[in-house]
Amino acid sequence: RTLGLITTDLALHAPSQIASAVKSRAGERGVSVMISMVEQPEFCQAALQELLAQRVEGLLVNVPLDDAEAEKIRHLAAPVPVLFFDVSPSANVHRLAFDAEQGATLGAEHLLSLGHQQIALLAGPESSVSSRARLAGWQARLGQADIAPCAIAHGDWSAASGYEKGHQLLSGATLPDAILVANDQMALGVMRACAEKGIAVPGQISVVGFDDTADSAWFSPPLTTIRQAFRDAGERSVEWLLSPATDELWQTQLPVTLVERHSSA
Ligand code: IPT
């Protein structure tokens, strides 16, 4: 038996940890997984054709897709079931996804509870559904507390972009006292920028990430972040694909949790 995984850049920590979990659970079930990595969402259809030609019996798609793109893939693949990781709840497809709004709310509430008011936001790329949902969630929660973010920037999920945008956010008229970052790799770059400017984390600035990838506890200081249980998601997705109930839409929202470490105070 063979499953297919169409994934975004595996050089990024989160997709690689999902792929790893998918591979190991499938291995335990005696199932192989063919992986196709796409650099741009437009290449998803080609990847799909390639995997269907290999007669995969189910497909996982971890590429940020807009509703219409995801629905197209679902129809092209039928009757082979497809499960999506990175689409909005409004897409008419089977979906297993982390609750971005809950994650954003937890991060914002954590900083508010610490008394921070000058909060900068470092979002992910505008092209990503999850990135937009996290940014909207932060803005909604801060808005409820009557706080406007003191600056907003977008990175591309990489540590390098976090470093570059971090320097930008730290050079504005007001120095933020906290930064909400849309993923841990960018938070790593932000903390490097803080170190270069002689700004103490968490003494002068609190930094909160998103993901809790395996390395985040080893950053210096260890990163406070929103945990997405990638292993759990990967395992559940394989179990579903091996006995899919496709009569109805299967949409599962996975909870996320705040992991308090030492980058926030
Ligand atoms: C999302 C990660 O949070 C982010 O760090 C980045 O790796 C991104 O994936 C790549 O697309 S997790 C995804 C399942 C929403």
Side-chain angles (χ1 to χ4, degrees), residues 21-166:
V22 166
K23 268 285 201 190
S24 29
R25 175 51 59 97
E28 286 162 20
R29 299 276 179 264
V31 173
S32 56
V33 182
M34 302 202 50
I35 299 180
S36 177
M37 190 176 100
V38 298
E39 312 262 348
Q40 307 280 340
E42 305 83 270
F43 300 148
C44 258
Q45 286 191 27
L48 173 72
Q49 299 307 343
E50 195 188 312
L51 291 173
L52 290 175
Q54 304 292 325
R55 299 181 180 282
V56 295
E57 65 179 83
L59 272 159
L60 298 163
V61 179
N62 183 22
V63 178
L65 293 176
D66 292 328
D67 294 6
E69 293 169 321
E71 287 161 9
K72 182 94 196 278
I73 298 279
R74 178 191 182 185
H75 288 298
L76 289 172
V80 173
V82 190
L83 183 60
F84 293 84
F85 279 117
D86 201 356
V87 294
S88 114
S90 58
N92 191 19
V93 297
H94 303 296
R95 169 178 183 267
L96 177 71
F98 294 100
D99 190 335
E101 193 196 337
Q102 183 200 11
T105 305
L106 285 172
E109 279 175 356
H110 174 61
L111 291 179
L112 293 170
S113 75
L114 293 170
H116 295 298
Q117 302 212 319
Q118 301 294 331
I119 301 177
L121 308 178
L122 177 50
E126 263 153 321
S127 56
S128 153
V129 191
S130 306
S131 159
R132 295 196 298 264
R134 290 172 200 177
L135 176 59
W138 289 334
Q139 288 172 314
R141 187 60 189 88
L142 295 180
Q144 282 170 21
D146 271 325
I147 288 181
C150 66
I152 301 180
H154 287 269
D156 67 3
W157 298 127
S158 70
S161 74
Y163 172 76
E164 187 197 326
K165 302 295 175 167

Side-chain angles (χ1 to χ4, degrees), residues 7-9 11-16 18 61-64 84-87 96-98 100 124-125 128-131 134 156-158 182-186 210-213 226 228 230 233:
T7 179
T8 190
D9 191 359
L12 290 171
H13 298 176
S16 73
I18 292 173
V61 179
N62 183 22
V63 178
F84 293 84
F85 279 117
D86 201 356
V87 294
L96 177 71
F98 294 100
S128 153
V129 191
S130 306
S131 159
R134 290 172 200 177
D156 67 3
W157 298 127
S158 70
N183 80 337
D184 291 0
Q185 287 184 269
M186 293 196 295
F210 208 112
D211 276 347
D212 197 27
T213 47
I226 305 299
Q228 306 196 94
F230 295 122

